[in-house]
Amino acid sequence: MGSSNRLFNRHRTVHEILGGGLVADVMLWRRGNLTMGILLVTLAAWVVFEKSGYTLLSLVSNVLLLLIVILFLWAKSAAILHRPAPPLPELYLSEDMVNEVGAFVRAHVNDLLSASRDIALGKDSGLFFKAAAYLLLISIVGSLTDFLTLGYTSLVVVLTVPALYERYEDYIDPYTILGCRKMQQLYVKFDSKYVNRFRKWILERQKLS
């Protein structure tokens, strides 16, 4: 299928769009054992949280406490018995890594603030309706489930939807493109019929005041 019939007229494969590295391999089941392991471990953690009544903070604290006790006793016994110490890697954050993460976070936060300012000042109607729709969707989903279940469900979606899309993209893309065109037509009608009238009403009120 040509790029003109692909979603967003893309020229790259799904694997390339996802970065082409380990994360893409996991999401697209190129490393099926690792993907399945992540799903099973996450499912086990979800069951533990749901059935045992543990919270994330209490479980992490208990696991870390058990870990440091084991390592401490191992190190002390190794010193007494003249055995090698626990094989711990050097824990160190380089300055370059911190700067890279900081630049990444700063760029995305600035983009978010810029978009929020455009929405607040009414400069981008399309962005306003997208943000309102996403927030409404998050509110509805949040009222139906808890954060833990939402996190597990999101992980399942991330590890299944891209792989299914890559497998059936020749069938999905034409219908998705058709649906997007219909939505754009509806948005243009809605914008011209209601949003423009509302904008003109605001301008008239400002002139009168």
Side-chain angles (χ1 to χ4, degrees):
M1 182 182 289
S3 60
S4 61
N5 294 323
R6 291 295 186 194
L7 194 60
F8 308 121
N9 292 326
R10 58 184 173 82
H11 298 274
R12 297 186 298 169
T13 64
V14 177
H15 189 262
E16 291 172 343
I17 292 174
L18 294 176
L22 176 62
V23 175
D25 290 343
V26 171
M27 292 177 65
L28 298 177
W29 289 75
R30 303 285 175 86
R31 303 191 183 189
N33 292 335
L34 180 57
T35 307
M36 183 60 69
I38 292 173
L39 284 174
L40 291 178
V41 169
T42 309
L43 176 61
W46 178 75
V47 171
V48 167
F49 282 126
E50 286 292 316
K51 301 301 181 182
S52 67
Y54 271 106
T55 63
L56 179 61
L57 182 60
S58 62
L59 181 62
V60 170
S61 299
N62 288 332
V63 170
L64 290 177
L65 175 61
L66 179 62
L67 180 61
I68 63 173
V69 168
I70 292 174
L71 291 175
F72 178 80
L73 294 177
W74 185 353
K76 287 298 183 182
S77 60
I80 295 173
L81 301 174
H82 303 288
R83 296 288 184 178
L88 290 177
E90 183 179 358
L91 304 177
Y92 173 74
L93 284 177
S94 66
E95 185 177 353
D96 292 337
M97 183 183 300
V98 173
N99 291 336
E100 184 177 349
V101 173
F104 176 82
V105 172
R106 180 177 62 84
H108 283 74
V109 169
N110 285 336
D111 290 340
L112 177 62
L113 294 175
S114 177
S116 301
R117 185 175 186 276
D118 290 341
I119 292 174
L121 296 177
K123 293 183 177 180
D124 193 334
S125 301
L127 185 60
F128 165 75
F129 286 111
K130 288 180 182 178
Y134 287 140
L135 291 175
L136 179 61
L137 179 62
I138 293 173
S139 176
I140 294 173
V141 173
S143 65
L144 297 176
T145 184
D146 58 278
F147 181 77
L148 183 63
T149 303
L150 179 60
Y152 176 71
T153 305
S154 300
L155 179 64
V156 172
V157 170
V158 167
L159 294 181
T160 54
V161 171
L164 291 174
Y165 172 73
E166 184 188 43
R167 184 171 182 178
Y168 300 106
E169 59 182 330
D170 290 339
Y171 303 99
I172 295 173
D173 281 354
Y175 293 104
T176 306
I177 292 172
L178 181 61
C180 289
R181 289 174 180 170
K182 294 290 186 182
M183 291 297 295
Q184 288 176 350
Q185 293 173 359
L186 290 175
Y187 171 74
V188 169
K189 292 181 180 179
F190 179 81
D191 185 72
S192 61
K193 190 173 182 179
Y194 297 104
V195 178
N196 283 339
R197 289 182 180 179
F198 182 70
R199 190 179 296 118
K200 290 179 180 178
W201 179 79
I202 292 177
L203 293 175
E204 291 176 356
R205 292 294 300 271
Q206 288 177 348
K207 290 178 180 179
L208 293 175
S209 60

